[in-house]
Amino acid sequence: MGIEVKAVPKIIAFVGNPNVGKSTIFNGLTGLRQHTGNWPGKTVSNAQGSCLYNGKEFEFIDLPGCYSLYPHSAEEEVTGEFLKSGKADLVMVVCDAGCLERNLNLLLQVLEITDRAVVCVNLMDEAEKKGISVDLNKLSAELGVPVVGTSASRGIGLDRLLKVLDEMTENMEGGSIKGSLGPPSEERIRGRIDRAEEISRKVVRFSRPDYDRRDRKLDRIFTSKLTGFPIMFLLLALIFWITIQGANVPSQFLSEKFHSLEIVLNRILIEKGAPVWLQGALIDGIYRVATWVIAVMLPPMAIFFPLFTLLEDFGYLPRIAFNLDRCFQRCRACGKQALTTCMGFGCNAVGVTGCRIIDSPRERLIAMLTNSFIPCNGRFPALIALLLLLFAVRSEGGGAASIAAVFALCGLIALSVLMSLLASRFLSETILKGEPSSFALELPPYRKPQIGKVIVRSLLDRTLFVLGRAVVVAAPAGLLIWIFANVPVGGVSLLTVFTEFLDPFARIIGLDGVILGAFILGLPANEIVLPIIMMTYLAQGTLIEAGDLQAMGMIFEANGWTWVTVLCTMVFYLMHWPCATTLLTIRRESGSWRWVGVSILIPAMFGMGLCFLINLIGTAVM
């Protein structure tokens, strides 16, 4: 009886500059047969996927986008180490047909260390629209390796690419490394640049000298000193408005469905004879807090992340970094922090993860430690409620008060960005002292966003990832909150003892013990802070809905709230310790609990200091 030997998959490494469509090719070849993770010991993510062609299995490794194999960043280090390890049977270098000369520098470096390479010239359709043509046969002759042209977003050329990969890997065993790059001497660098220019002159033709005229016109609008910042703020404000308005209905729908299921679960536990304390711990504690987080977080994230990713796919996000680069440079931070700051408006945990794009470890830490100054979507509902409480409830004119609340929200957002910049400068001159590093900021061409792929990618890679981590943290926290509210000590609950202990200090910064205690117990998610405040004031044993704004205002006023209390609560909402999901993300990205402690201390210190000043001035004025 013969023994069947399973064929070993052929490993193909994807290499290329950022914005050349490498991930689009990867997704087109692998479909849903892919997974992502982190490189061992690195914060750089990797994507792996498989594909069957002509009875042969290919394992694709999507290496991080980089400009060079010389390790100036974690991405370049990972890419260079993997290629030199010989684990790949073949290397596929992806280039942009519209800017081939720039991509040739990395390609020539790859060809110095391995002779098993295929060149994929992608975005041929975009180059054609600009009047740019590439002679693929001549390029192949110049490089000595196969060259395939593709338009991956339209699926053109992928079959031809697979056929070439199949032919090259036939009877191929193991990787082949010819040698090392050697030191990055000026002579070597100059030689590659000259060779890239020479090849480009021979194979690239421009039928329209003004092929990039549209991009330049848009850049004059989006990046000029006169219009760049106003357009940036208007676009981000539009995204916030759509997120806030669009999330209300699905949040209410989810809340109602979870409430209906809660009734069913309670009935089942009663029928099974479960004790009252177990019913309270499981339903009023774990279930209610976990479902609360889902109902409040899922809809805004499902709206914000696709919208944000559409801007990214369009090519606008690098323009935001360009506009804000000077602000962050003055704070001795990296201009790329502008991108992670914007991501923080959706979720601070995602913003922290996005800090991987910053090459300098010092500047990456600064960006991670200050991202929580930016209000995430979990804080917006409470901020809006408090603003309406401050304006609408205190005045008769609801319409004018609502407009005032909108402008006040914009002011709070501007304050959060300003405090993030100040905190970055503080860190760069104290525990993370150093000079800002320079970086090459590529402004990719403007492209029509791939709406379907954007929605799927943002929902799977960002929304569900962050939501899953939040629920994991919220469930045990719900149990803890229930215990605090229901375990008596000396005739009162642990929650009452806890808040009375905090009250003297909280009064100094314009809050009270209940408010400060709610922020501490609300560590799992910012969404549950206001409900905890209401639960404590009303002496309830479980979380309750915030309810009608007028009724909430009456409850707060009965417990001693003034306009100073509302203002200090809003400021502390902006600047306090990150949520548990963000803290766990900081631990994973930084690799140290020390930086988790710093990430708690920095915003809390700024927030308490500002609240102290507001309370001092407000008390003197009242």
Side-chain angles (χ1 to χ4, degrees):
M1 182 176 66
I3 300 176
E4 183 180 354
V5 179
K6 185 177 181 180
V8 178
K10 298 299 182 182
I11 299 177
I12 314 296
F14 283 32
V15 180
N17 291 169
N19 303 308
V20 296
K22 183 162 57 69
S23 295
T24 305
I25 296 174
F26 176 82
N27 292 332
L29 295 177
T30 61
L32 297 177
R33 302 179 63 180
Q34 56 181 261
H35 63 276
T36 59
N38 275 357
W39 295 100
K42 306 288 183 184
T43 58
V44 178
S45 62
N46 69 76
Q48 300 183 33
S50 61
C51 172
L52 290 174
Y53 178 81
N54 196 24
K56 183 184 297 181
E57 183 177 3
F58 293 101
E59 183 74 20
F60 297 117
I61 310 294
D62 189 9
L63 295 172
C66 61
Y67 294 99
S68 171
L69 297 183
Y70 292 112
H72 297 295
S73 68
E75 288 78 8
E76 292 169 351
E77 182 182 358
V78 162
T79 300
E81 287 180 353
F82 186 85
L83 293 183
K84 295 171 186 177
S85 70
K87 295 178 180 178
D89 294 291
L90 196 68
V91 179
M92 184 168 70
V93 185
V94 183
C95 300
D96 181 353
C99 48
L100 182 63
E101 181 180 336
R102 188 194 66 208
N103 298 165
L104 285 174
N105 179 55
L106 177 63
L107 171 57
L108 292 174
Q109 291 181 36
V110 172
L111 293 180
E112 288 183 26
I113 63 174
T114 180
D115 57 357
R116 293 182 175 177
V118 173
V119 178
C120 173
V121 181
N122 192 32
L123 304 172
M124 295 288 286
D125 52 340
E126 291 189 11
E128 184 180 353
K129 292 177 182 178
K130 297 176 180 179
I132 302 174
S133 61
V134 180
D135 190 328
L136 301 179
N137 292 329
K138 188 175 292 187
L139 179 60
S140 177
E142 288 289 331
L143 298 173
V145 294
V147 176
V148 180
T150 62
S151 299
S153 62
R154 298 162 58 185
I156 298 175
L158 296 183
D159 287 338
R160 168 64 181 162
L161 184 60
L162 283 172
K163 182 179 179 182
V164 171
L165 295 176
D166 180 42
E167 293 172 352
M168 289 199 66
T169 55
E170 190 67 29
N171 300 320
M172 183 181 287
E173 295 181 5
S176 174
I177 303 300
K178 294 173 62 175
S180 64
L181 286 174
S185 65
E186 184 177 346
E187 182 181 357
R188 283 177 176 268
I189 295 173
R190 185 71 255 174
R192 292 193 194 99
I193 293 175
D194 292 342
R195 178 61 175 151
E197 291 176 352
E198 178 188 357
I199 295 174
S200 182
R201 283 195 302 267
K202 292 180 179 180
V203 304
V204 180
R205 292 291 178 267
F206 299 90
S207 61
R208 284 171 40 199
D210 60 342
Y211 68 91
D212 61 347
R213 181 175 60 181
R214 186 198 66 166
D215 288 356
R216 300 292 73 80
K217 282 184 176 180
L218 290 175
D219 278 340
R220 280 194 289 270
I221 297 173
F222 289 140
T223 63
S224 75
K225 294 181 180 179
L226 181 63
T227 59
F229 275 92
I231 291 176
M232 180 178 67
F233 288 131
L234 286 174
L235 277 175
L236 292 177
L238 178 62
I239 289 178
F240 298 150
W241 181 81
I242 294 174
T243 300
I244 293 170
Q245 293 297 318
N248 289 333
V249 174
S251 287
Q252 184 63 32
F253 173 79
L254 287 174
S255 181
E256 292 173 357
K257 293 302 179 182
F258 282 136
H259 180 68
S260 300
L261 181 58
E262 179 181 324
I263 296 174
V264 174
L265 293 175
N266 267 321
R267 186 184 304 123
I268 293 174
L269 288 176
I270 293 173
E271 292 175 354
K272 296 296 184 181
V276 175
W277 66 266
L278 181 60
Q279 181 180 339
L282 293 178
I283 304 301
D284 297 339
I286 296 174
Y287 175 85
R288 185 167 294 184
V289 173
T291 55
W292 190 301
V293 170
I294 295 174
V296 176
M297 286 185 68
L298 179 58
M301 283 197 299
I303 296 172
F304 178 86
F305 288 143
L307 291 175
F308 193 82
T309 310
L310 283 174
L311 286 183
E312 181 180 9
D313 219 37
F314 175 61
Y316 182 66
L317 288 191
R319 274 77 185 179
I320 293 180
F322 179 86
N323 291 335
L324 294 178
D325 176 56
R326 183 175 301 176
C327 299
F328 285 97
Q329 287 288 319
R330 288 179 177 176
C331 296
R332 304 195 178 196
C334 179
K336 291 182 182 179
Q337 189 173 332
L339 299 177
T340 64
T341 296
C342 294
M343 295 172 71
F345 283 112
C347 175
N348 295 133
V350 173
V352 170
T353 303
C355 294
R356 297 173 179 178
I357 65 174
I358 300 174
D359 299 334
S360 165
R362 182 188 73 86
E363 293 169 346
R364 191 184 309 127
L365 273 173
I366 291 176
M368 286 193 293
L369 297 177
T370 58
N371 195 270
S372 62
F373 281 87
I374 306 303
C376 63
N377 63 58
R379 284 183 263 182
F380 276 113
L383 289 172
I384 293 171
L386 291 172
L387 282 169
L388 291 175
L389 188 67
L390 186 64
F391 290 100
V393 175
R394 294 177 59 87
S395 63
E396 298 297 329
S402 298
I403 294 175
V406 170
F407 280 105
L409 179 61
C410 294
L412 287 174
I413 293 172
L415 175 63
S416 70
V417 175
L418 175 62
M419 298 305 290
S420 175
L421 290 169
L422 292 176
S424 298
R425 184 60 184 261
F426 171 76
L427 287 170
S428 67
E429 293 187 347
T430 54
I431 60 176
L432 291 171
K433 189 177 296 185
E435 292 295 325
S437 63
S438 60
F439 71 98
L441 177 61
E442 178 185 0
L443 296 181
Y446 294 97
R447 298 188 179 112
K448 181 180 179 181
Q450 303 176 54
I451 298 178
K453 292 182 179 179
V454 163
I455 292 175
V456 172
R457 189 170 77 244
S458 59
L459 289 178
L460 294 179
D461 293 347
R462 294 180 177 178
T463 303
L464 296 182
F465 171 76
V466 175
L467 182 66
R469 185 176 294 180
V471 171
V472 168
V473 174
L479 177 61
L480 179 64
I481 293 171
W482 182 87
I483 292 173
F484 264 70
N486 290 274
V487 174
V489 176
V492 296
S493 67
L494 273 175
L495 185 59
T496 301
V497 175
F498 180 59
T499 56
E500 288 179 353
F501 171 77
L502 297 173
D503 195 69
F505 172 75
R507 297 283 178 182
I508 299 175
I509 57 175
L511 308 176
D512 62 23
V514 171
I515 303 171
L516 184 57
F519 277 108
I520 295 174
L521 293 176
L523 181 68
N526 291 291
E527 295 85 352
I528 63 177
V529 172
L530 271 187
I532 292 176
I533 294 174
M534 295 283 289
M535 177 185 75
T536 309
Y537 282 149
L538 296 176
Q540 300 289 324
T542 183
L543 291 182
I544 61 172
E545 293 283 355
D548 179 72
L549 191 63
Q550 191 77 32
M552 185 172 66
M554 294 175 62
I555 294 171
F556 287 168
E557 189 173 356
N559 284 274
W561 280 46
T562 65
W563 65 269
V564 176
T565 313
V566 177
L567 190 56
C568 288
T569 304
M570 285 191 296
V571 169
F572 204 64
Y573 242 114
L574 283 179
M575 289 169 280
H576 66 286
W577 40 86
C579 70
T581 304
T582 304
L583 292 176
L584 290 177
T585 305
I586 292 173
R587 169 65 181 85
R588 188 190 67 179
E589 297 295 311
S590 68
S592 171
W593 286 107
R594 170 196 175 194
W595 296 116
V596 174
V598 174
S599 71
I600 294 173
L601 180 63
I602 294 296
M605 181 177 67
F606 275 74
M608 289 178 180
L610 192 54
C611 286
F612 173 77
L613 291 177
I614 293 173
N615 184 47
L616 194 66
I617 297 172
T619 304
V621 171
M622 285 185 1

